[in-house]
Amino acid sequence: MAKEKKVEQITDMEVDFAQWFTDVCTKAELVDYSGVKGLFILRPYGYAIWENIQNILDKKFKELGHENVSMPMLIPESLLQKEKDHVEGFAPECAWVTMGGSEPLQEKLCIRPTSETLFCDHWSHVVHSWRDLPMKYNQWCSVLRWEKTTRPFLRGREFLWQEGHTLHATAQEAVEETLQMLEVYADLCENYLAMPVIRGNKTDKEKFAGAENTYTIECMMHDHKALQSGTSHYFGDGFARAFGITFSDKENKLSYPHQTSWGLSTRIIGGIIMTHGDNSGLVLPPAIAPIQVIVLPIAMHKPGVADKAQELVSRLKVAGLRVKGDFSDNSPGWKYAQYEMKGVPLRVEIGPRDMENGQCVAVLRTSGEKITVPLDELETRIPELLETVQSQMFDKAKSNLDSHTFVAHSLEEAKTLQEENGGFIKTMWCGDLACEMAMKEQAGMSSRCIPYAQEHLDDCCAVCGKPADKMIIWGVAY
Ligand code: ZN
């Protein structure tokens, strides 16, 4: 007799959240470790999640008039150094190529940590007139940042992402683009990934190296820490000046164009895991789940069961769902645990008695609820149940966010709230870097964003007591 497959065990999230996360990443077969620290192998199931995210975003980018391009992966040192703030920001994380075969290179080459400099160099060749604008480019690629501590999805040295880069004739048009793309990310998170977001802009301290303004969406994880989930940057004309990109405007006057960039990476998969997962493993939003429905025949040796299960798989496929049947000889117990671990939103079981009654049983990954579905309603009821799972997931994440967002009126109060409950702390802020640093040093929290949705909590900065008119959100971030 074949050896029965064992159900994989994972650490409880309440015992050790970090270990739980790592367990889910490996046991749900999302990643494997490679021979180089911080470079992870995205296994087919993990890559399929990324592909589904890619498909959603790529379609939106194109609808909004962006074109995909491919830039080189190496940046000459001289090019990287053209924009002062940018090089200072990225220098500590750069990995360099110094040899070509056995010959030392005359100029060392940086493996791209991000590609602003490459886009700017290219644009300085091809942009001449207002007729050439706007340039609305995107590339899907991987980048390399030499991080010291690394974790799957959350902090890899190499990670997959998309980076959008656009160039516009006016500042207003570039700002509009920046905000529009942040909204694309917010829509992805809320309506596909079931992750509620807080939209806002970063402080000067936290903004992207070389940007005038960085806009962000911040999500709260199950452990109440923050994850910066997508950013969109407005550069003004700083890069254009540094790289000598000019165009003759409609009055035939030479001008500098205004620039944006925006990116979302495989880090978001870490966010999905930490927002929705539980002690049985991954829980995937149906909108991006590689397998939306797993069909399991019960008592498969009984006549007709396997055929009937196969028929359900075919019907659901025709209905446009991502569906799979498991006809292996593994025990039902193993199969339940396996597809729960993989976060499949819906399990559909069919056995001899169900067949007699013309029904199957659907089990929701979120609540474990079992729902009897008449077989002649399969094509309407199953998509409805997937919708239910999707909205249950959003509601749960939203209630986690709402119940762990607090108001504080002093640094001391903010610190106590963070220590006792974790989560996001809203306070007023005067805008001084010194107060931001004090919050970091004394309460262990960084500024997450200055939310679009402002509230007037009181008249003074929670840290220094000086007049303040901005509300800011603090948190402990991944
Ligand atoms: Zn202050």
Side-chain angles (χ1 to χ4, degrees):
M1 193 177 149
K3 203 173 119 204
E4 210 167 83
K5 273 204 193 176
K6 273 241 196 66
V7 174
E8 299 270 14
Q9 294 295 326
I10 58 171
T11 308
D12 273 6
M13 62 203 310
E14 292 79 13
V15 172
D16 184 344
F17 194 76
Q19 188 57 50
W20 167 84
F21 176 79
T22 309
D23 287 352
V24 172
C25 287
T26 52
K27 301 278 167 61
E29 300 175 339
L30 303 178
V31 297
D32 188 22
Y33 293 85
S34 79
V36 182
K37 179 181 151 77
L39 275 61
F40 298 96
I41 295 154
L42 226 46
R43 301 182 66 184
Y45 196 61
Y47 194 74
I49 297 172
W50 180 238
E51 278 184 313
N52 288 338
I53 293 171
Q54 259 189 320
N55 290 339
I56 294 161
L57 285 181
D58 201 63
K59 186 162 168 276
K60 297 221 167 171
F61 295 162
K62 285 172 181 160
E63 277 168 9
L64 294 170
H66 304 91
E67 296 171 290
N68 284 339
V69 295
S70 178
M71 287 282 163
M73 70 184 304
L74 299 176
I75 309 173
E77 187 178 24
S78 54
L79 199 60
L80 197 67
Q81 284 177 338
K82 279 197 173 177
E83 212 287 334
K84 191 177 70 48
D85 292 337
H86 187 68
V87 68
E88 271 177 25
F90 280 99
E93 297 176 1
C94 286
W96 295 93
V97 176
T98 57
M99 300 285 287
S102 57
E103 300 287 317
L105 298 180
Q106 294 218 316
E107 181 176 15
K108 60 178 181 174
L109 304 169
C110 175
I111 301 169
R112 65 183 165 210
T114 178
S115 306
E116 275 75 9
T117 53
L118 293 164
F119 279 89
C120 285
D121 189 43
H122 169 60
W123 284 332
S124 75
H125 307 154
V126 298
V127 172
H128 308 290
S129 144
W130 62 272
R131 292 180 193 85
D132 299 326
L133 297 174
M135 291 275 173
K136 293 168 75 172
Y137 288 172
N138 175 65
Q139 80 168 339
W140 293 97
C141 64
S142 73
V143 289
L144 201 74
R145 297 179 184 177
W146 214 250
E147 303 275 1
K148 289 196 178 68
T149 53
T150 63
R151 298 180 69 190
F153 296 119
L154 299 175
R155 206 161 284 280
R157 282 178 173 168
E158 185 189 22
F159 55 86
L160 299 176
W161 78 345
Q162 60 69 218
E163 47 179 321
H165 296 266
T166 67
L167 200 61
H168 305 265
T170 66
Q172 191 198 338
E173 199 183 298
V175 170
E176 280 167 13
E177 167 81 9
T178 314
L179 297 174
Q180 179 188 57
M181 298 322 288
L182 191 81
E183 213 40 53
V184 169
Y185 293 151
D187 174 64
L188 170 80
C189 283
E190 297 199 318
N191 297 320
Y192 296 86
L193 310 183
M195 292 165 69
V197 303
I198 295 176
R199 301 157 170 84
N201 55 308
K202 289 282 183 191
T203 62
D204 281 349
K205 178 179 178 289
E206 298 287 331
K207 74 185 183 186
F208 182 80
E212 277 197 15
N213 209 337
T214 289
Y215 299 87
T216 179
I217 46 171
E218 300 283 325
C219 296
M220 186 185 286
M221 303 294 99
H222 183 81
D223 65 348
H224 311 127
K225 286 191 192 167
L227 189 81
Q228 177 181 304
S229 300
T231 49
S232 185
H233 317 289
Y234 170 62
F235 289 112
D237 61 6
F239 273 87
R241 286 174 186 273
F243 284 80
I245 311 168
T246 56
F247 70 101
S248 49
D249 63 18
K250 285 181 181 167
E251 282 79 47
N252 219 17
K253 200 162 71 21
L254 216 53
S255 297
Y256 291 108
H258 293 74
Q259 195 173 333
T260 82
S261 80
W262 24 276
L264 184 132
S265 74
T266 41
R267 195 165 203 240
I268 198 73
I269 298 176
I272 297 169
I273 299 168
M274 291 196 298
T275 302
H276 302 301
D278 61 21
N279 285 333
S280 302
L282 201 57
V283 182
L284 289 176
I288 54 94
I291 304 168
Q292 294 171 310
V293 183
I294 181 75
V295 176
L296 300 183
I298 306 298
M300 207 168 46
H301 55 282
K302 296 276 172 69
V305 173
D307 286 347
K308 196 69 189 173
Q310 186 56 60
E311 185 193 314
L312 297 194
V313 171
S314 305
R315 281 174 60 184
L316 291 171
K317 247 181 214 164
V318 171
L321 300 182
R322 295 188 288 273
V323 55
K324 205 186 127 178
D326 187 337
F327 300 95
S328 70
D329 63 354
N330 291 305
S331 70
W334 181 87
K335 290 181 186 177
Y336 295 160
Q338 173 71 357
Y339 296 102
E340 279 177 8
M341 180 74 76
K342 292 196 143 198
V344 175
L346 216 55
R347 178 171 90 221
V348 169
E349 305 169 0
I350 184 148
R353 203 181 309 152
D354 299 313
M355 285 166 62
E356 277 169 30
N357 296 330
Q359 65 183 42
C360 62
V361 176
V363 185
L364 278 60
R365 174 64 180 86
T366 36
S367 60
E369 200 183 343
K370 292 189 174 189
I371 291 161
T372 302
V373 175
L375 290 181
D376 54 9
E377 293 173 19
L378 191 73
E379 285 86 349
T380 50
R381 293 294 306 282
I382 297 297
E384 279 170 15
L385 290 172
L386 288 172
E387 290 285 334
T388 304
V389 171
Q390 183 85 23
S391 60
Q392 279 178 351
M393 292 178 72
F394 183 86
D395 293 347
K396 187 171 166 227
K398 183 77 168 68
S399 97
N400 187 47
L401 171 65
D402 292 344
S403 66
H404 284 81
T405 302
F406 306 98
V407 171
H409 300 275
S410 68
L411 193 157
E412 203 49 45
E413 192 186 355
K415 184 174 187 247
T416 308
L417 281 166
Q418 177 57 238
E419 283 168 1
E420 286 175 4
N421 310 287
F424 291 166
I425 318 287
K426 304 194 269 195
T427 76
M428 297 306 285
W429 177 54
C430 65
D432 279 0
L433 176 63
C435 294
E436 203 178 345
M437 299 294 282
M439 188 62 85
K440 178 81 202 168
E441 280 154 23
Q442 294 172 46
M445 290 187 282
S446 56
S447 70
R448 302 319 311 150
C449 70
I450 301 159
Y452 291 176
Q454 284 281 307
E455 297 162 52
H456 186 81
L457 307 174
D458 59 46
D459 296 328
C460 346
C461 174
V463 182
C464 68
K466 278 191 258 176
D469 58 5
K470 276 192 219 42
M471 184 188 81
I472 192 165
I473 291 187
W474 311 94
V476 177
Y478 275 97

